[in-house]
């Protein structure tokens, strides 16, 4: 291997270094940039030709001048894995930062992974109980799914993610999920909170944590989720574990992608984001799934904050096109002091129907979910009407629906941060709030089911 | 070193070196190439295609991941354009975007797709029973059928002479052969095998394109009656989630009178693609009772598979469709989704640093879409057989915004728009095709066929039904303001007739044994009955019967039983008799 060092930087721009007169460098190769004594930074080759190599520094370019020396390592970005990664905390580039021993890698895996052959996949169909009523009943998560949380600044998405990570389990199975947690561009304060939470609940021993903080270089964020997914795939497909991957915050990831694209002078697409953002995001999100002949699975819960609460912004929009649904958080519920502030009407799980039913959850699950959805939607519409015409002019039925919407938010949506409701409990609460509605108004529920579960109280 | 240089000199035309790598776009130098030639890139021989030629450099889009490839690695030009293999073994196959069989890839590289894998599209070892239909001395031309192979229980595969060949048969074989075996030789020395290749970006030649005068009969009442699609026509379906796109597509695959189904999953979700890949093979062909896969080819290129292969996948699919068309079959091709395909064009275009058009899409987006849809058609083949390729493309506009360029350009080209509506499906109205937003520009050209082959009153009945449905829409707005009781009597009756149309005619249960497929005659009879009820009801109204009594007659709902009964004529006759009796009684009671 040619370990020659070059001092032939021609141009520095943003996080990019343009180096000439090198030997032949492969695309995607990892680079060490020696700035001064003890200051060695990592970078990656973005564009390579016989005359010029473009390197992107993972640790910024500030302080680098044309005299910095460049060493090409001859290999692409890899992450060393072994069972020992469980319980450890890494930085965004996969270097341990928890003062623990070094990881003795059993295998060095390419962080970019490879596409799962669609023919080798299994359709996800195992119900995951998160203990959160709104998710379990109306937006059911299944093993191997990718279900993002669409949030906005100032909303408790991280708490919800932590609660899911703490409580998630497959019904009737003792085994817990291993959690791979990747933070991109979060603040030091938030990072502390996460780690403390993991430590106090004992979850850390079955977790792998990657932390890229807000003051870490933006480009490093491009590798962080890939590191995390490489760890997850190793645990799932080599070590037969069921892995839940939490990626927060994908908005910061996309911002870095845009920043890099701009530095490379690429032609921007919608709102300045690069045209390949769809494919780039797909290469992350599509690394969820279940594979024929493998016991483990990778389930993803990416979190993104919608800029300006705008769901049509390219980040949530493209994400929604790849993921199998979304959990949307609502600011109004949050203002009312309701936690978790999940807006069930905008949320959706595309794989829900394959994960529920008599054998998996309970026979009445689908019907209850449809009915809650219909009644809450109607009740919420009526709130708008009441503001105009006043409650007196409503019919009895409408008054009931209006009351139902309030009860739904207060009893069904609202739950404590430490409250873990199993699916039976959740469905029972649903029947309890539906007990105020006469049977003939429950149009989405079959007579048999009503007979068994519905107790109408006038 | 010296030897290597000499080697290079000798093969100067065919091999060169990589100069630059930027993602899936590679620049090579030192070799000559034509546009769209397939090249093998690097030591791992990744598949790529020439997309631009500049001075002595050529620009290649690579269909696989390029990480780890170095400048200076060899590039070899095959001299052939990106092609598909056509021959027995296509049916039942599951391919990726560049026609590599996914089960074979799994065998070779495991559950993850690795790069640089060379797999044959058609099985080289399987033997097929070839039955010749020509004899020695017969003069033949390109496209001529020289024999058949029973490819699956359902489909007979015609072995055709490649389009550009011509001559007299010198030898012809009979018996079991592999796809590469020579089965016939012409007097000019040309050898014919069971398999042929065709470049995917070139439409296969035909003698003549015919006007869209024959409908693709789908067995779905709303489509056949109100928004018909011609054989060889083009249609677009927008696919908002939860609107039942999958069920609609599967119904079309199962019941439409197209013999061959080509399904392209282009840039969609892996888990959803898996659903298609596992469900399709389990579907039963209602016509034969055999698996539907016997007449199906699936192409799957999910969103995380290489973007260039996604761009190629629709061409791969339509070339396969054209090949079956040339045998004289009616083929329906479904592309899900063309939006993802357009996005792959955008991505490659931006890598080429082309000047972007609207929303970053390349300025040639419209013409590429048009070129693709133009490959649909009902044609007279070189062998005088009439076959067709009908294209049904799904569009998935971001944020549900129909004004974006892909949807707009698509709607400019396609003649039929089936607007799937999530609101209808949440109301459990299936198929959830919105009758006010959908349209078919083939209706006029197809009406003569229907009037001749089904009933001379067909077009009249449909127009009448459409009129009532449109009027209903207007009346519904009024009802929301003033309540239905405040409407004039006549309009109350109209609302009821519209309800009958919606529930008994437009709604159809895709999972009911009898209702899943509705013959044209049955569609007509149901429609006719409902409109007849309308006439009788208005007549009763004129005689002074109150509207609220008319809309409440009990026997009106018995029309719905016809949907689920094989002997629909009897059911409808009985319903008519009862309705007539009830109305008569109302008139007498005044």
């Amino acid at each position: 291997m040619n370990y020659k060092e070059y001092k032939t930087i021609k141009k520095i721009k943003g996080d990019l270094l343009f180096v000439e007169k090198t030997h032949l460098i492969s695309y995607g190769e990892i680079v060490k940039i020696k700035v001064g004594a003890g200051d060695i930074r990592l970078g990656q080759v973005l564009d390579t030709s016989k005359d010029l190599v473009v390197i992107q520094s993972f640790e910024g370019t500030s302080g680098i001048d044309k005299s910095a020396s460049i060493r090409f390592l001859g290999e692409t970005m890899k992450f060393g894995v072994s069972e020992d990664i469980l319980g450890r905390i890494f930085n965004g580039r996969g270097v341990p930062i928890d003062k623990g021993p070094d990881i003795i890698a059993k295998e060095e895996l390419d962080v970019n992974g490879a596409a799962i052959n669609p023919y080798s996949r299994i359709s996800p169909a195992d119900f995951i109980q998160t203990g959160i009523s709104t998710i379990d009943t109306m937006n059911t998560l299944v093993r191997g799914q990718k279900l993002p949380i669409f949030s906005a600044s100032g909303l408790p998405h991280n708490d919800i993610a932590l609660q899911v990570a703490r409580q998630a389990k497959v019904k009737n199975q003792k085994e817990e999920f291993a959690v791979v947690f990747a933070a991109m561009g979060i603040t030091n304060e938030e990072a502390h909170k996460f780690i403390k939470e993991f430590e106090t609940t004992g979850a850390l021993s079955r977790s792998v944590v990657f932390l890229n903080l807000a003051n870490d270089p933006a480009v490093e964020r491009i590798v962080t989720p890939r590191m995390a997914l490489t760890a997850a795939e190793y645990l799932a497909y080599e070590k037969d574990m069921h892995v839940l991957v939490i990626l927060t915050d994908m908005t910061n990831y996309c911002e870095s992608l845009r920043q890099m694209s701009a530095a490379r002078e690429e032609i921007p697409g919608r709102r300045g984001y690069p045209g390949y953002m769809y494919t780039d995001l797909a290469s992350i999100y599509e690394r969820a799934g279940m594979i024929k002949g493998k016991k483990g699975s990778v389930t993803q819960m990416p979190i993104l904050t919608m800029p300006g609460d705008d769901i049509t912004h390219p980040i949530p929009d493209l994400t929604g096109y790849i993921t199998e649904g979304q959990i949307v958080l609502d600011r109004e519920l949050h203002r009312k002091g309701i936690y978790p502030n999940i807006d069930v009407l905008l949320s959706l799980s595309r794989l829900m129907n394959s994960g529920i039913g008599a054998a998996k959850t309970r026979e009445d699950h689908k019907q209850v979910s449809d009915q809650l959805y219909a009644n809450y939607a109607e009740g919420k519409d009526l709130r708008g009407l009441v503001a105009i015409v006043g409650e007196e002019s409503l019919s009895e039925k409408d008054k009931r629906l209006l009351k139902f919407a309030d009860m739904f938010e207060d009893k069904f949506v609202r739950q404590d941060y430490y409250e873990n409701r199993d699916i039976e409990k959740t469905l029972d609460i649903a029947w309890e709030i539906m007990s105020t509605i006469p049977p003939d108004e429950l149009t989405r529920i079959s007579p048999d089911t009503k007979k068994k579960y519905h107790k109408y109280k006038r | 070193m010296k030897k290597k240089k000499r080697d290079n000199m000798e093969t100067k035309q065919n091999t060169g070196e990589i100069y630059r790598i930027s993602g899936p776009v590679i620049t090579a130098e030192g070799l000559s190439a034509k546009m769209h030639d397939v090249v093998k890139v690097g030591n791992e021989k990744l598949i790529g295609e020439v997309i631009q030629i500049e001075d002595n450099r050529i620009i290649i889009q690579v269909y696989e991941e390029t990480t780890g490839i170095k400048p200076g690695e060899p590039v070899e030009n095959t001299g052939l354009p990106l092609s598909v293999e056509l021959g027995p073994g296509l049916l039942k196959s599951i391919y990726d975007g560049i026609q590599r069989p996914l089960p074979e890839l799994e065998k070779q590289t495991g559950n993850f797709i690795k790069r640089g894998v060379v797999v044959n599209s058609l099985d080289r070892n399987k033997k097929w029973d070839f039955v010749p239909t020509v004899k020695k001395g017969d003069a033949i031309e390109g496209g001529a059928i020289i024999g058949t192979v029973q490819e699956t229980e359902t489909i007979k595969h015609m072995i055709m002479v490649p389009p550009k060949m011509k001559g007299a048969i010198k030898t012809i074989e009979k018996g079991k052969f592999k796809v590469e075996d020579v089965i016939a030789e012409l007097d000019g020395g040309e050898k014919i095998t069971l398999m042929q290749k065709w470049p995917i970006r070139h439409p296969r030649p035909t003698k003549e394109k015919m006007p869209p005068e024959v409908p693709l009969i789908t067995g779905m009442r709303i489509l056949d009656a109100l928004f018909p699609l011609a054989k060889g026509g083009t249609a677009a379906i927008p696919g908002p989630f939860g609107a039942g796109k999958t069920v609609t597509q599967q119904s079309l695959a199962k019941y439409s009178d197209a013999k061959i189904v080509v399904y392209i999953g282009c840039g969609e979700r892996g888990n959803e693609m898996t659903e298609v890949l596992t469900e399709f093979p389990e579907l039963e062909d209602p016509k034969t009772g055999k698996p539907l896969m016997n007449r199906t080819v699936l192409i799957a290129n999910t969103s995380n598979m290489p973007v260039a292969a996604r761009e190629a996948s629709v061409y791969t699919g339509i070339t396969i469709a054209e090949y079956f068309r040339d045998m004289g079959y009616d083929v329906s091709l479904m592309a899900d989704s063309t939006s993802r395909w357009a996005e792959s064009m955008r991505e490659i275009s931006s890598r080429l640093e082309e000047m972007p058009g609207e929303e970053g899409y390349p300025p040639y987006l419209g013409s590429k879409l048009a070129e693709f849809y133009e490959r649909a058609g009902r044609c007279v083949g070189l062998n005088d057989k009439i076959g067709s390729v009908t294209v049904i493309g799904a569009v998935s506009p971001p944020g549900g915004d129909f004004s974006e360029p892909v949807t707009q350009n698509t709607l400019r080209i396609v003649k039929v728009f089936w607007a799937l509506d999530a609101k209808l499906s949440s109301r459990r109205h299936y198929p959830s095709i919105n009758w006010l937003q959908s349209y078919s520009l083939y209706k006029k050209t197809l009406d003569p066929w229907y009037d001749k082959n089904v009933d001379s009153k067909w077009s009249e009945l449909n127009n009448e039904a459409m009129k009532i449905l449109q009027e209903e829409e207007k009346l519904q707005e009024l009802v929301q303001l003033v309540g239905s009781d405040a409407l004039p009597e006549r309009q109350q009756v109209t609302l009821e007739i519209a309800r009958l149309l919606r529930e008994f005619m437009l709604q159809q249960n895709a999972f009911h044994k009898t209702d899943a497929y509705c013959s044209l005659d049955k569609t007509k009879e149901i429609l006719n009955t409902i409109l007849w009820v309308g006439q009788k009801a208005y007549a009763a109204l004129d005689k002074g019967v109150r509207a609220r009594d008319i809309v409440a007659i009990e026997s009106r709902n018995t029309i719905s039983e016809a949907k689920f009964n094989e002997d629909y004529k009897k059911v409808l006759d009985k319903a008519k008799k009862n309705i007539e009796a009830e109305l008569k009684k109302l008139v007498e009671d005044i």
Side-chain angles (χ1 to χ4, degrees):
Chain A
M1 211 17 81
N2 192 339
Y3 278 139
K4 249 195 254 169
E5 289 196 358
Y6 295 96
K7 293 199 170 216
T8 48
I9 298 178
K10 192 184 165 200
K11 178 167 127 184
I12 304 174
K13 188 181 172 194
D15 287 321
L16 302 184
L17 304 170
F18 297 75
V19 185
E20 54 186 358
K21 298 188 192 113
T22 61
H23 63 280
L24 298 174
I25 305 297
S26 54
Y27 177 72
E29 201 168 305
I30 294 301
V31 183
K32 279 193 173 167
I33 307 156
K34 208 163 128 194
V35 184
D39 186 358
I40 296 178
R41 306 187 194 181
L42 277 186
Q44 187 175 18
V45 174
L46 271 193
D47 191 321
T48 170
S49 71
K50 286 179 178 172
D51 302 321
L52 188 72
V53 176
V54 183
I55 298 162
Q56 156 198 326
S57 164
F58 288 131
E59 291 160 87
T61 46
S62 71
I64 300 186
D65 62 10
K66 283 167 98 176
S67 67
S69 62
I70 308 285
R71 205 168 87 191
F72 296 94
L73 301 188
E75 57 177 27
T76 51
M77 201 66 175
K78 296 224 156 73
F79 181 59
V81 289
S82 78
E83 287 114 315
D84 298 338
I85 58 172
L86 276 173
R88 300 297 302 270
I89 301 171
F90 300 85
N91 70 6
R93 300 189 304 282
V95 181
I97 49 167
D98 55 358
K99 304 192 183 85
D102 284 349
I103 302 285
I104 302 184
K106 280 194 179 156
E107 262 177 278
E108 294 275 337
L109 298 178
D110 186 342
V111 297
N112 288 313
I116 303 175
N117 186 332
Y119 183 73
S120 306
R121 283 182 184 264
I122 313 175
S123 288
D126 300 331
F127 167 68
I128 296 177
Q129 181 177 298
T130 64
I132 295 177
S133 295
T134 35
I135 298 179
D136 289 352
T137 331
M138 300 173 75
N139 301 287
T140 315
L141 178 67
V142 297
R143 253 185 200 163
Q145 186 176 11
K146 37 196 180 298
L147 189 63
I149 298 181
F150 284 10
S151 183
S153 44
L155 299 183
H157 42 269
N158 288 334
D159 289 342
I160 296 173
L162 280 171
Q163 191 172 1
V164 170
R166 191 173 60 231
Q167 298 179 168
K169 67 175 193 115
V170 170
K171 205 189 165 201
N172 304 329
Q173 282 187 14
K174 287 236 164 60
E175 120 196 65
E176 288 177 291
F177 278 87
V179 176
V180 172
F181 181 85
M184 290 155 278
I186 63 167
T187 59
N188 208 1
E189 199 180 313
E190 286 171 308
H192 264 291
K193 194 183 159 198
F194 277 123
I195 292 173
K196 213 177 134 206
E197 170 81 28
F198 276 118
E199 279 169 349
T200 48
T201 57
L204 190 59
S205 62
R206 54 181 178 93
S207 307
V208 188
V209 178
F210 293 85
L211 291 178
N212 161 286
L213 301 182
N215 57 346
D216 286 335
V219 247
E220 191 182 284
R221 267 159 230 163
I222 305 294
V223 233
T224 309
R226 297 188 160 84
M227 286 278 167
L229 286 162
T230 306
E233 281 172 348
Y234 171 77
L235 296 174
Y237 305 133
E238 306 286 323
K239 296 291 155 209
D240 296 342
M241 294 173 139
H242 292 288
V243 186
L244 177 67
V245 182
I246 295 176
L247 307 168
T248 183
D249 169 336
M250 287 305 287
T251 304
N252 293 337
Y253 172 86
C254 294
E255 296 293 332
S256 313
L257 206 63
R258 175 164 71 174
Q259 194 180 327
M260 266 176 46
S261 167
R264 286 154 79 173
E265 298 183 349
E266 289 167 342
I267 291 168
R270 246 194 321 159
R271 297 217 193 170
Y273 293 95
Y276 49 81
M277 193 156 88
Y278 176 81
T279 304
D280 189 274
L281 286 174
S283 73
I284 293 175
Y285 298 142
E286 279 293 343
R287 287 172 82 175
M290 294 182 81
I291 292 180
K292 279 185 208 160
K294 303 272 184 190
K295 283 198 194 116
S297 64
V298 177
T299 309
Q300 273 190 37
M301 192 165 254
I303 297 170
L304 56 89
T305 45
M306 299 179 282
D309 294 11
D310 176 11
I311 202 167
T312 65
H313 184 279
I315 299 172
D317 194 41
L318 294 180
T319 298
Y321 264 111
I322 305 162
T323 56
E324 287 118 358
Q326 70 271 339
I327 305 280
V328 183
L329 302 191
D330 181 41
R331 202 173 285 279
E332 202 191 312
L333 282 177
H334 183 62
R335 281 202 198 108
K336 283 188 193 165
I338 292 173
Y339 170 90
N341 56 332
I342 293 171
D343 182 349
V344 291
L345 299 182
L346 285 177
S347 303
L348 166 83
S349 164
R350 291 166 192 254
L351 301 179
M352 170 168 171
N353 288 343
S354 52
I356 62 172
K360 288 170 174 160
T361 53
R362 209 167 79 178
E363 64 201 321
D364 56 330
H365 189 153
K366 173 84 180 121
Q367 297 175 26
V368 168
S369 166
D370 285 349
Q371 190 68 53
L372 290 176
Y373 187 95
N375 285 11
Y376 182 53
E378 238 176 291
K380 239 183 141 180
D381 277 351
L382 286 169
R383 279 185 192 160
L385 196 66
V386 167
I388 304 168
V389 300
E391 203 174 326
E392 299 74 35
S393 56
L394 291 187
S395 68
E396 281 306 308
K397 186 186 167 202
D398 287 350
K399 278 183 193 157
R400 272 196 296 272
L401 282 168
L402 203 59
K403 216 174 137 214
F404 176 87
D406 292 338
M407 254 192 327
F408 177 80
E409 287 173 1
D410 197 46
K411 295 206 165 131
F412 189 81
V413 179
R414 186 200 295 273
Q415 70 186 82
D416 191 74
Y417 179 54
Y418 289 103
E419 187 183 357
N420 188 356
R421 292 184 189 156
D422 63 23
I423 184 68
E424 280 82 10
K425 176 85 196 294
T426 287
L427 289 172
D428 290 346
I429 297 176
W431 283 109
E432 196 195 309
I433 56 174
M434 284 194 286
S435 66
T436 56
I437 297 185
D440 58 322
E441 284 172 25
L442 297 177
T443 50
R444 301 292 166 93
I445 298 178
S446 71
D448 288 351
T449 314
K450 269 187 259 191
K451 210 168 143 196
K452 191 164 168 193
Y453 294 101
H454 189 228
K455 291 182 187 67
Y456 176 48
K457 298 178 220 153
R458 265 159 212 286
Chain B
M1 195 64 201
K2 243 180 185 169
K3 186 176 179 294
K4 200 181 160 198
K5 216 168 199 172
R6 212 186 58 219
D7 279 354
N8 265 351
M9 294 283 279
E10 276 171 10
T11 53
K12 199 182 161 201
Q13 290 299 300
N14 276 329
T15 57
E17 280 184 354
I18 299 177
Y19 169 73
R20 178 186 169 193
I21 304 153
S22 171
V25 177
I26 280 186
T27 312
E29 55 188 6
L31 77 161
S32 66
K34 301 186 293 293
M35 277 297 272
H36 297 141
D37 275 356
V38 170
V39 290
K40 305 229 162 129
V41 176
N43 298 324
E44 289 176 78
K45 294 191 186 299
L46 310 184
I47 301 168
E49 190 180 358
V50 176
I51 48 170
Q52 209 169 301
I53 300 176
E54 276 172 14
D55 290 343
N56 55 346
R57 288 191 180 146
I58 60 167
I59 295 174
I60 300 159
Q61 80 179 25
V62 181
Y63 290 109
E64 295 172 85
E65 179 57 45
T66 52
T67 307
I69 309 290
K70 261 186 201 159
E73 286 190 29
V75 178
E76 186 191 323
N77 186 2
T78 61
L80 297 168
L82 191 60
S83 304
V84 285
E85 294 184 355
L86 302 168
L90 280 172
L91 296 173
K92 291 191 189 172
S93 286
I94 302 175
Y95 290 121
D96 77 350
I98 46 174
Q99 215 204 3
R100 298 184 300 181
L102 290 175
E104 198 55 39
L105 284 180
E106 186 186 52
K107 260 188 226 159
Q108 290 206 12
T109 72
N111 301 321
F112 292 89
I113 297 176
K114 310 251 161 67
R115 64 187 185 190
V117 189
V118 183
V119 230
N120 291 318
S121 304
L122 296 176
D123 188 338
R124 290 293 187 270
N125 296 316
K126 187 165 180 174
K127 286 195 165 179
W128 300 94
D129 208 350
F130 173 71
V131 184
T133 51
V134 292
K135 53 186 191 304
K136 196 181 160 187
D138 284 0
I140 52 140
E141 283 188 353
I145 293 167
I146 56 167
T148 60
V149 162
Q150 191 70 41
E151 185 176 353
T152 64
E153 283 165 297
T154 331
I155 298 293
K156 204 173 245 179
H157 194 113
M158 316 285 171
I159 304 300
M160 295 175 290
V161 178
K164 280 167 196 159
M165 271 184 207
K166 196 177 174 179
I169 300 270
K170 197 165 101 192
T171 59
I172 180 123
E173 311 282 340
K174 180 180 188 309
K176 287 191 180 293
F177 295 96
K178 297 179 187 170
V179 283
E180 285 180 313
D181 292 338
V182 174
I183 41 138
E185 217 181 310
L186 302 187
D187 53 1
E190 294 103 328
K191 292 181 170 64
I192 299 170
T193 57
L194 286 181
M195 178 189 99
Q196 51 178 292
K197 287 193 173 185
W198 191 262
I200 60 170
R201 294 183 201 277
H202 288 271
R204 284 176 63 88
T206 54
K207 261 190 193 156
E208 181 192 347
K209 218 167 176 175
M210 300 168 78
E213 283 169 346
V214 181
L216 182 84
I217 295 154
T218 62
M220 286 163 87
R221 285 185 289 272
I222 179 165
L223 301 187
D224 286 337
L226 301 181
F227 310 108
L229 175 57
K231 282 204 172 94
T234 51
I237 340 181
F241 176 69
K245 185 173 73 182
T246 318
V247 180
T248 310
Q249 279 176 335
Q250 287 189 358
S251 287
L252 285 170
K254 275 160 89 172
Y255 296 106
S256 79
D257 64 345
K259 216 43 203 267
I260 308 283
V261 178
V262 179
Y263 179 90
I264 309 168
C266 175
E268 285 291 328
R269 301 176 181 86
N271 282 332
E272 286 190 347
M273 200 63 233
T274 305
E275 221 178 296
V276 175
L277 297 188
T278 45
E279 260 174 35
F280 248 90
E282 279 164 24
L283 292 181
E284 190 186 281
D285 185 351
K287 285 169 218 156
T288 57
K290 302 276 177 346
L292 188 66
M293 275 304 273
N294 276 351
R295 50 190 188 89
T296 304
V297 184
L298 294 178
I299 294 169
N301 209 82
T302 53
S303 57
N304 56 337
M305 284 156 83
V307 62
R310 191 190 317 157
E311 193 266 337
S313 64
V314 297
Y315 294 109
T316 301
I318 200 150
T319 310
I320 293 172
E322 285 174 341
Y323 175 66
F324 282 104
R325 172 204 68 196
D326 291 346
M327 295 178 202
Y329 288 122
D330 292 316
V331 185
S332 75
L333 176 130
M334 294 171 206
D336 188 4
S337 116
T338 55
S339 299
R340 300 285 99 82
W341 174 53
E343 275 157 22
S344 72
M345 274 195 269
R346 171 165 74 180
E347 214 173 304
I348 292 162
S349 162
S350 95
R351 295 268 184 197
L352 292 176
E353 295 170 2
E354 290 172 338
M355 194 56 112
E358 209 180 340
E359 289 200 22
Y361 286 100
Y364 47 80
L365 171 74
S367 58
K368 286 272 178 188
L369 279 167
E371 249 171 59
F372 167 68
Y373 280 107
E374 197 50 33
R375 286 176 75 170
R378 186 159 172 268
C379 305
V380 183
L382 298 177
N383 50 20
D384 291 324
K385 287 208 174 245
I386 297 175
S388 65
V389 175
T390 310
V391 176
I392 301 159
V395 284
S396 25
D401 168 21
F402 279 20
S403 69
E404 59 91 39
V406 182
T407 313
Q408 280 307 311
N409 277 300
T410 304
L411 291 183
R412 264 207 294 277
I413 305 156
V414 299
K415 299 287 190 300
V416 176
F417 181 63
W418 292 329
L420 289 180
D421 187 344
K423 269 195 200 130
L424 287 176
S425 82
S426 73
R427 270 194 258 149
R428 301 284 179 274
H429 177 111
Y430 294 116
S432 52
I433 296 166
N434 186 310
W435 52 92
L436 295 167
Q437 288 168 15
S438 303
Y439 60 77
S440 165
L441 300 182
Y442 294 121
K443 202 158 179 358
K444 274 226 171 71
T445 47
L446 291 175
D447 273 345
W449 185 94
Y450 281 112
D451 287 349
K452 189 175 152 217
N453 291 287
V454 190
D455 195 293
S456 57
K457 283 195 304 194
W458 176 273
S459 46
E460 212 181 295
L461 288 173
N462 291 317
N463 292 339
E464 184 63 33
M466 207 56 218
K467 238 185 249 161
I468 294 174
L469 289 168
Q470 272 161 357
E471 194 179 343
E472 184 203 21
E473 167 76 2
K474 273 186 223 142
L475 295 178
Q476 286 294 2
E477 280 170 22
L478 268 179
V479 168
Q480 275 175 0
L481 290 175
V482 300
S484 64
D485 298 339
L487 281 185
E489 300 256 301
R490 196 176 169 84
Q491 294 179 339
Q492 289 182 32
V493 174
T494 308
L495 277 183
E496 177 62 13
I497 304 304
R499 184 189 71 87
L500 296 182
L501 280 174
R502 272 191 290 114
E503 289 182 12
F504 303 154
M505 151 88 180
L506 301 184
Q507 283 190 24
Q508 191 168 353
N509 185 344
F511 300 104
H512 188 277
K513 199 167 64 72
T514 314
D515 196 30
Y517 176 82
C518 186
S519 68
L520 292 181
D521 187 62
K522 185 169 166 183
T523 301
K524 182 207 77 189
E525 288 294 335
I526 293 179
L527 187 55
N528 203 3
T529 308
I530 297 173
L531 295 175
W532 174 89
V533 174
Q535 283 165 13
K536 293 284 162 191
Y538 291 133
L541 195 68
D542 290 342
K543 287 191 185 125
V545 183
R546 297 293 305 270
R548 62 163 190 266
D549 294 328
I550 296 176
V551 300
I553 55 172
E554 271 167 32
S555 46
R556 74 195 193 285
N557 286 338
T558 55
I559 299 173
S560 81
E561 286 162 27
K563 293 206 285 189
F564 309 107
N565 202 317
E566 301 275 2
D567 198 355
Y568 54 90
K569 284 205 168 113
K570 204 170 118 197
V571 176
L572 289 174
D573 280 344
K574 201 174 142 208
K576 268 183 175 175
K577 232 177 250 159
N578 291 337
I579 292 167
E580 193 152 32
E582 268 193 80
L583 285 172
K584 202 170 158 200
K585 187 156 181 299
L586 286 177
V587 176
E588 284 163 4
D589 286 353
I590 300 172

